[in-house]
Amino acid sequence: MPRLKSLLVMSDVITDASLRLAATLGSSSRKSLVSLFVTASAACLVLSGCAGSDGTKDDSDLWSETKLYSEATDKLNDADYAKCGKYFEKLEGRFPFGPYSQQAQINAAYCYWKGQEQAQALVAIDRFIKLHQGSPNLDYGYYLKGLISFNDDLGWLGKFTGQDLSERDPKAAKEAFESFKVVVERFPDSKYAPDSLDRMRYIVNSLAEADVIVARFYYQRGAYLASANRAQLVIRDYDRAPAVEEALYLLTKSYEKLGMTDLSNDSLRVFKLNFPDSQMMVTGQRVQKERRWWQIWNK
């Protein structure tokens, strides 16, 4: 550690200089220096005492394990997520082998997530998953990680405007999908498995929707080859997603614009075979966009 080494060297230099200074001073000068040193030390003690009593000192540093857990739980119940996250993290740090350690890690992640501190929440839940692969709460750990990555809280404006996962960065959605997938595959009997499966379906549909949005963008700007290529990706990777209807429509129209009549006719045939009642070839619009996972009333 270079910084510590340099500090030690500096300390040696200061000590040597002090000794040389003391050797050149008389007894009266040494008494003056001692008096000055004592006065300065007393001042430092007073100042340090004041710093500890200015109302900013955290008394939780002195709490017992049980009290710290109790206070953290109270903050969680009061929805004071900033405080409960801090307390649970401190509990896990001070008592890493205590009976509340595992629960503290999970609760800290939950508090940070509810407090909109996604990065801290991911760090906390990743630490729990890494350290406690044999925990009976591991299914919830992966489920919570999925929720944190899923980040479904769009805020009032996002819900008001109808924004959904397909209109945001798909990286987080894919990470959430992998976490929910672990719950479904490794813990099929978990109480979190059904909801994880529902969210997986929604994520897949949203990722397909995101690619269709790109294909539509290309088509509307005359980039028909790019539109056809992106539509093909949707059909290949998300063959059961509702967005496939529009993907086939865009593929058919893009081939038509490119003068590829045979490919356009083949796409149209597949479209009619899979969506016989669809009016999209006439109207250019899907009747109903895939509902969001939280819109349980929109059947």
Side-chain angles (χ1 to χ4, degrees):
M1 298 176 65
R3 185 175 181 182
L4 289 177
K5 184 177 180 181
S6 65
L7 289 175
L8 289 174
V9 172
M10 183 179 292
S11 177
D12 292 340
V13 172
I14 293 173
T15 302
D16 293 341
S18 299
L19 291 174
R20 288 195 300 271
L21 179 60
T24 60
L25 293 175
S27 59
S28 60
S29 298
R30 286 197 295 270
K31 290 179 181 179
S32 298
L33 285 174
V34 171
S35 176
L36 179 61
F37 175 76
V38 172
T39 303
S41 299
C44 288
L45 290 173
V46 171
L47 289 174
S48 63
C50 292
S53 60
D54 62 356
T56 61
K57 184 176 179 180
D58 191 351
D59 293 335
S60 63
D61 291 336
L62 305 176
W63 290 348
S64 67
E65 182 179 8
T66 302
K67 179 173 175 58
L68 191 52
Y69 182 80
S70 176
E71 291 291 334
T73 303
D74 288 343
K75 295 299 182 184
L76 174 58
N77 294 334
D78 294 338
D80 188 349
Y81 299 119
K83 277 287 184 65
C84 78
K86 176 183 175 183
Y87 286 169
F88 279 123
E89 188 171 46
K90 181 174 293 188
L91 173 63
E92 188 265 330
R94 287 182 57 198
F95 307 98
F97 305 108
Y100 303 116
S101 177
Q102 289 190 29
Q103 191 63 45
Q105 289 181 9
I106 295 179
N107 288 0
Y110 178 84
C111 290
Y112 285 135
W113 169 55
K114 295 297 288 183
Q116 307 299 313
E117 298 290 346
Q118 187 183 30
Q120 288 179 276
L122 284 174
V123 169
I125 200 61
D126 280 340
R127 184 168 65 251
F128 170 80
I129 291 173
K130 182 179 180 179
L131 296 177
H132 305 291
Q133 279 293 309
S135 171
N137 295 320
L138 189 60
D139 59 335
Y140 177 71
Y142 279 107
Y143 176 71
L144 181 57
K145 182 176 180 180
L147 292 179
I148 295 168
S149 302
F150 188 68
N151 193 20
D152 58 300
D153 186 1
L154 303 174
W156 69 270
L157 184 60
K159 293 181 179 181
F160 178 77
T161 58
Q163 182 189 26
D164 63 19
L165 201 64
S166 66
E167 297 163 348
R168 293 183 288 162
D169 182 6
K171 180 181 178 181
K174 292 178 181 178
E175 292 174 353
F177 181 89
E178 292 302 320
S179 297
F180 291 133
K181 184 179 178 182
V182 172
V183 178
V184 172
E185 293 184 349
R186 288 182 56 182
F187 310 98
D189 298 327
S190 169
K191 64 180 180 180
Y192 306 108
D195 188 63
S196 295
L197 187 58
D198 286 342
R199 290 175 186 269
M200 287 173 65
R201 292 193 185 104
Y202 171 73
I203 290 171
V204 167
N205 292 345
S206 296
L207 292 173
E209 192 73 41
D211 278 342
V212 161
I213 290 173
V214 175
R216 187 192 311 144
F217 174 86
Y218 287 144
Y219 181 82
Q220 291 172 347
R221 282 153 184 78
Y224 303 119
L225 182 58
S227 177
N229 288 337
R230 186 56 66 101
Q232 283 179 333
L233 288 178
V234 176
I235 297 167
R236 183 193 69 189
D237 296 339
Y238 312 105
D239 60 330
R240 297 184 181 182
V244 169
E245 179 184 0
E246 186 170 354
L248 280 169
Y249 166 81
L250 291 169
L251 186 64
T252 301
K253 292 297 183 179
S254 294
Y255 283 147
E256 183 181 300
K257 292 290 186 180
L258 291 168
M260 300 178 176
T261 306
D262 291 341
L263 291 176
S264 179
N265 289 336
D266 287 342
S267 300
L268 179 60
R269 177 178 55 81
V270 174
F271 180 90
K272 290 182 177 179
L273 180 64
N274 287 275
F275 304 98
D277 300 325
S278 175
Q279 298 297 312
M280 193 166 188
M281 285 296 174
V282 179
T283 64
Q285 300 290 329
R286 268 189 283 167
V287 174
Q288 183 177 353
K289 189 176 181 180
E290 168 69 357
R291 71 182 177 92
R292 293 145 181 84
W293 72 268
W294 45 268
Q295 292 177 321
I296 56 176
W297 58 87
N298 187 7
K299 300 297 185 180

